[in-house]
Amino acid sequence: QVQAVESGGGLVEAGGSLRLSCTASVGIFSRYSVGWFRQAPGKEREFVAAIIWNSAYYADSVKGRFTISRDNVKKTVYLQMNSLKPEDTAVYYCALRYYSTTTYYDPDEYPHWGQGTQVTVSS
């Protein structure tokens, strides 16, 4: 059974940084695409970033501020978030699916999800 656990959320002032981690219990981790999504109160879950093999993809709203990376030995994906803004406040989720390059931005394409971690950016 595929499981994912996020960590690293917290409270930070605008302009600050956080690094989120997503550790998975899977077989060959390198074969999995991993996405980060977020959901703010009253809003739909939205795509943040994804990594497929070592190719990274970002939402326009975070491009240039967030960096996604992976360590296949540790079976962990990281989301480095810099220059945080109050509008980045949300619960952040990581999601996994077996290797696929299509529609990486669509949460419905990911069958395995973590429990989420809260990120709060104060102004």
Side-chain angles (χ1 to χ4, degrees):
Q1 184 176 355
V2 176
Q3 292 184 324
V5 178
E6 303 98 335
S7 61
L11 173 64
V12 64
E13 292 184 350
S17 299
L18 283 173
R19 189 178 78 158
L20 305 184
S21 299
C22 171
T23 301
S25 59
V26 296
I28 303 175
F29 181 67
S30 60
R31 294 181 180 174
Y32 283 81
S33 302
V34 181
W36 283 99
F37 295 82
R38 65 188 181 187
Q39 188 166 19
K43 295 187 177 181
E44 292 188 352
R45 193 168 296 190
E46 66 172 0
F47 170 73
V48 175
I51 188 162
I52 304 169
W53 295 112
N54 283 317
S55 295
Y57 304 87
Y58 300 96
D60 288 343
S61 59
V62 306
K63 202 171 292 183
R65 300 189 296 124
F66 291 11
T67 302
I68 190 170
S69 61
R70 68 191 303 161
D71 182 331
N72 291 328
V73 173
K74 295 183 178 179
K75 299 185 178 181
T76 299
V77 166
Y78 303 99
L79 186 67
Q80 178 67 44
M81 305 186 296
N82 298 329
S83 302
L84 282 161
K85 304 175 181 180
E87 51 263 44
D88 294 318
T89 295
V91 177
Y92 283 69
Y93 300 89
C94 73
L96 279 73
R97 63 176 184 173
Y98 197 71
Y99 177 74
S100 175
T101 59
T102 61
T103 57
Y104 53 83
Y105 47 84
D106 184 351
D108 292 336
E109 295 294 320
Y110 291 80
H112 311 291
W113 289 80
Q115 82 288 351
T117 186
Q118 177 70 46
V119 171
T120 303
V121 184
S122 63
S123 57

